[in-house]
Amino acid sequence: MSSLDKTKYKIERRYIDKRQNVRPGTRLTSGTPGFFVAHDTGNPGATADNHFNYFQNLKDRTASAQVFIDDKTILEIIPTGTGSDPAEKAWHVLYNVTTDNDRFGDDANDIALGVELCYGGEINFTEAYKRFMWYLAYCCDKWTINPMTYIPSHKQLDPARKRDCDQGLASGGKTLKDLIYDVQEEMKGSPAKPIEQGFEQLPEYIALSLINDYVRSAWKAEQIEGDKVGMTHFHNLANNLRSAAAITEDGKKLNGPIKLHKSNAQEIIFRWLSPAWFKAKLAEDQASMKHYNNLANYLRKAAGMPTA
């Protein structure tokens, strides 16, 4: 059972009119959100209501986000899927940037929610931050998403956005790292529903062994080649292994494991473990064959796959 207080704050749903430049009215390609982009409005002092009015009347450019949060209101101006209406697209990350595709496999506008922190002026930062953090925790809990790897900032996806959402968080002495750990703490007791999802936690020593023996060297090879896409891939792979073992990148304990992606398990098995197993077989090394088979089965169990 989740210990997240789902009634802690009210989520208000007041939708802007459908228009192609702000609310095209099309569903997320992924159906439900795949990740959440942390934004700030870049408009100090402007409230959630101010932004509703702005986007309701916007005609001369294409832009929007699904959610605006200030010190009094969590306001969804485009459906997110938290209520009865299915999640719809918004225009919150430029399509011509590729970081979202590299990290998450698709464009943020098509599979993610844009969540905006209102800050500055007369907005009480502490109260706005509490609601911002809680809303992200609520969404991660609802869709069983790991906040440690699936809450990027707008700046991370589009480096030209040099301060979004850093500037909003910094106005109250917070960082993106603080936000992510605060979201994780808010979710305490509600990580990944392992029983109903049908998977087993990856032992921590297995996760760390796989990272140290295989993933880290692959990351270093991509670093030498200057391949940032490859570096990001192996960085995410390592974090997914850690999450499957219920630990964070800096060794802190999560409240439970996150199911390993089948594609991650298959990649590690086919890239490293299968070749090692066949090499051991040629050498008639039964102990090593058993070792690599056991490693593969740990991964399969963590991904909810049948063992071999």
Side-chain angles (χ1 to χ4, degrees):
M1 292 290 291
S2 167
S3 67
L4 177 74
D5 183 357
K6 297 182 177 67
T7 62
K8 189 173 184 178
Y9 298 108
K10 178 183 177 182
I11 299 174
E12 184 177 345
R13 301 176 181 92
R14 184 163 23 108
Y15 303 141
I16 59 176
D17 296 335
K18 292 181 182 179
R19 299 188 317 283
Q20 184 58 33
N21 67 315
V22 286
R23 181 190 169 192
T26 51
R27 292 191 61 175
L28 291 184
T29 305
S30 52
T32 59
F35 63 99
F36 312 104
V37 183
H39 296 264
D40 66 53
T41 64
N43 191 12
T47 66
D49 278 335
N50 292 150
H51 286 91
F52 173 89
N53 293 332
Y54 175 78
F55 287 107
Q56 177 73 321
N57 297 291
L58 183 63
K59 295 182 175 63
D60 59 353
R61 71 188 188 97
T62 297
S64 58
Q66 284 93 345
V67 192
F68 290 85
I69 300 174
D70 62 24
D71 55 346
K72 299 178 178 63
T73 308
I74 298 171
L75 180 59
E76 296 180 350
I77 71 168
I78 294 173
T80 65
T82 62
S84 58
D85 299 299
E88 295 180 12
K89 296 180 184 181
W91 310 133
H92 56 105
V93 176
L94 291 174
Y95 271 111
N96 64 358
V97 299
T98 60
T99 310
D100 46 0
N101 306 80
D102 297 337
R103 287 184 62 176
F104 303 106
D106 210 334
D107 292 293
N109 293 332
D110 295 336
I111 66 171
L113 299 183
V115 185
E116 299 263 2
L117 173 66
C118 302
Y119 69 99
E122 307 213 350
I123 296 171
N124 182 306
F125 176 85
T126 299
E127 291 302 317
Y129 180 80
K130 286 179 182 177
R131 287 162 175 77
F132 187 61
M133 177 266 294
W134 175 86
Y135 182 82
L136 289 167
Y138 179 95
C139 290
C140 286
D141 178 76
K142 179 176 178 65
W143 288 294
T144 317
I145 289 174
N146 181 5
M148 306 306 293
T149 50
Y150 289 91
I151 305 180
S153 69
H154 194 183
K155 173 185 173 181
Q156 288 176 323
L157 299 185
D158 183 359
R161 309 289 300 193
K162 296 190 185 331
R163 301 187 65 199
D164 177 10
C165 63
D166 291 3
Q167 61 191 349
L169 293 174
S171 71
K174 292 285 188 177
T175 66
L176 181 65
K177 182 177 180 179
D178 293 330
L179 173 66
I180 291 169
Y181 280 109
D182 287 343
V183 169
Q184 177 64 40
E185 183 63 24
E186 188 77 11
M187 291 175 68
K188 202 168 188 178
S190 58
K193 306 173 186 175
I195 295 175
E196 68 182 46
Q197 291 291 337
F199 70 95
E200 295 183 15
Q201 180 169 335
L202 186 66
E204 182 176 333
Y205 78 95
I206 296 293
L208 296 177
S209 174
L210 291 168
I211 292 168
N212 291 331
D213 293 345
Y214 303 113
V215 183
R216 182 165 288 129
S217 59
W219 182 89
K220 288 181 178 177
E222 299 293 355
Q223 183 186 44
I224 292 170
E225 293 294 323
D227 185 346
K228 292 184 178 180
V229 173
M231 291 168 64
T232 298
H233 169 72
F234 289 117
H235 176 79
N236 289 340
L237 179 58
N239 274 339
N240 288 345
L241 286 169
R242 293 185 184 99
S243 297
I247 56 174
T248 67
E249 188 170 356
D250 58 359
K252 293 182 179 179
K253 300 289 185 182
L254 298 177
N255 295 300
I258 304 296
K259 187 177 182 181
L260 186 66
H261 296 302
K262 289 182 180 179
S263 60
N264 291 159
Q266 291 166 337
E267 176 181 357
I268 294 168
I269 291 168
F270 291 119
R271 182 190 289 267
W272 292 302
L273 301 184
S274 286
W277 183 89
F278 279 109
K279 184 177 180 180
K281 183 180 180 182
L282 289 173
E284 298 183 349
D285 184 347
Q286 296 294 325
S288 292
M289 290 171 63
K290 183 177 180 181
H291 169 71
Y292 294 119
N293 186 63
N294 287 342
L295 286 178
N297 279 335
Y298 277 122
L299 290 168
R300 293 185 181 106
K301 290 176 184 178
M305 300 164 64
T307 56

